[in-house]
Amino acid sequence: MSAKILSFMNEKGGIGKTSFTFNISWELAKRDYRVLLIDLNGQEANLSYFCGLDDLNSQFPARNDIDTICEVLRGKRTISDVTIQIKENLYLVPANNDVEHINQSAGTKTFREALNKAREAYDFIFIDVGPSTNWNQYMTLACADYIVIPMQPNVASLQSNIGASQSIVEAQSEINPGLRVLGILFNEYTTRTNVSRFAMQQAELQAEKLGTTVFEHGIRRSVAMSENPQLHEGITDYAPNSDAAQDARLVTDELIERIQEAEQR
Ligand SMILES: Nc1ncnc2c1ncn2[C@@H]1O[C@H](COP(=O)(O)OP(=O)(O)O)[C@@H](O)[C@H]1O
Ligand SMILES: [Mg+2]
């Protein structure tokens, strides 16, 4: 086993990066893949929250009392030292605010080495980052194998894709020549409005420039997805018959297919 390292990345917040990371990982784990989640977004630690780590009623201690990705980036712990099991096949390296004080250049080298050691124990490693172009995006672009660009079907999202694309192209030429874009993936997907159809056409053009395509499947807007963060359970388990769960399963299928295709090239 040697895990593929992926990240959902876009410079806009509230677009579904953490939702995709959590729900697709959850579904992959259900399918018997071993998945590691890494929360690198210390300011919000949203992924840790999705996983139930910061919930008063959860089985976990408050996140300030436990070792996190910070200790890994400082070279004091390995990834396996700080990994917490969320459910069968699904594991988390949590974050807290402290991660904002990491030295970027030292941290990147340490992070890459730590990830390479962790690869053998997993099929997939997902890194969740914050919205802005800061050190945690830089580090992820330096260490990942694949980036997926999530977007919503609107003009603001198209604009933020341009920034994300530039960062990716820069990373490919400067720090990580093997980095590949798996596709642009729609969240809150709909074909009902003119603006969404416009956004989809434009997204195809943006994808072409990055040598990729738009995912055929996306996740529709739904109440179940908006409830998702505080339930600490993947959509395919807590609302398995919902449209969003059906979408999440199709996106997972497509993600696996796209990785398999990319690996054969
Ligand atoms: N398809 C969807 N339908 C409804 N709400 C959604 C959907 N996807 C995400 N959300 C909600 O939108 C908010 C932002 O999503 P999140 O994944 O945290 O975005 P990001 O990580 O890009 O900042 C969350 O409250 C989430 O529950
Ligand atoms: Mg997020």
Side-chain angles (χ1 to χ4, degrees), residues 15-242:
I15 216 165
K17 292 181 293 297
T18 309
S19 299
F20 276 128
T21 305
F22 179 70
N23 286 291
I24 290 174
S25 299
W26 188 280
E27 177 61 16
L28 286 166
K30 260 172 88 89
R31 298 183 188 189
D32 276 342
Y33 292 104
R34 280 175 64 85
V35 187
L36 177 67
L37 298 168
I38 297 184
D39 192 349
L40 206 55
N41 179 8
Q43 223 160 39
E44 299 162 327
N46 278 339
L47 183 60
S48 302
Y49 180 78
F50 270 68
C51 289
L53 205 69
D54 198 22
D55 187 327
L56 291 176
N57 300 315
S58 89
Q59 59 182 305
F60 300 111
R63 65 173 191 251
N64 285 331
D65 305 340
I66 54 172
D67 283 341
T68 67
I69 189 66
C70 303
E71 283 71 37
V72 176
L73 296 176
R74 293 201 174 99
K76 292 184 180 156
R77 296 269 185 281
T78 66
I79 283 180
S80 72
D81 289 339
V82 302
T83 297
I84 291 168
Q85 183 165 18
I86 301 303
K87 65 159 189 151
E88 194 182 359
N89 294 325
L90 187 63
Y91 297 82
L92 170 74
V93 172
N96 66 17
N97 237 327
D98 204 19
V99 79
E100 303 300 322
H101 307 296
I102 298 294
N103 171 314
Q104 176 176 299
S105 46
T108 301
K109 185 170 173 282
T110 314
F111 191 38
R112 188 182 287 123
E113 287 167 4
L115 283 167
N116 283 338
K117 269 189 213 144
R119 274 188 203 260
E120 288 316 306
Y122 297 95
D123 297 299
F124 298 99
I125 298 175
F126 286 87
I127 306 172
D128 193 41
V129 296
S132 56
T133 37
N134 62 13
W135 65 272
N136 66 60
Q137 277 205 8
Y138 173 89
M139 241 180 227
T140 302
L141 287 168
C143 300
D145 300 315
Y146 295 106
I147 300 293
V148 177
I149 304 176
M151 72 173 284
Q152 291 168 340
N154 59 45
V155 172
S157 211
L158 284 168
Q159 286 167 332
S160 67
N161 284 356
I162 296 170
S165 304
Q166 278 166 354
S167 306
I168 293 167
V169 170
E170 272 170 35
Q172 286 167 328
S173 71
E174 287 164 22
I175 44 172
N176 187 356
L179 181 69
R180 287 190 275 187
V181 185
L182 265 192
I184 294 179
L185 172 59
F186 274 98
N187 189 23
E188 308 209 358
Y189 176 91
T190 171
T191 50
R192 278 194 225 125
T193 62
N194 286 336
V195 68
S196 64
R197 286 191 293 271
F198 172 76
M200 280 171 198
Q201 284 165 358
Q202 294 298 310
E204 291 288 358
L205 299 175
Q206 291 181 332
E208 214 175 292
K209 285 191 191 148
L210 285 166
T212 185
T213 54
V214 175
F215 273 64
E216 191 184 326
H217 302 286
I219 297 188
R220 280 168 279 185
R221 188 189 183 91
S222 70
V223 174
M225 283 296 289
S226 66
E227 290 168 345
N228 185 238
Q230 67 270 26
L231 296 179
H232 315 307
E233 199 179 13
I235 185 98
T236 51
D237 267 336
Y238 84 79
N241 300 321
S242 63

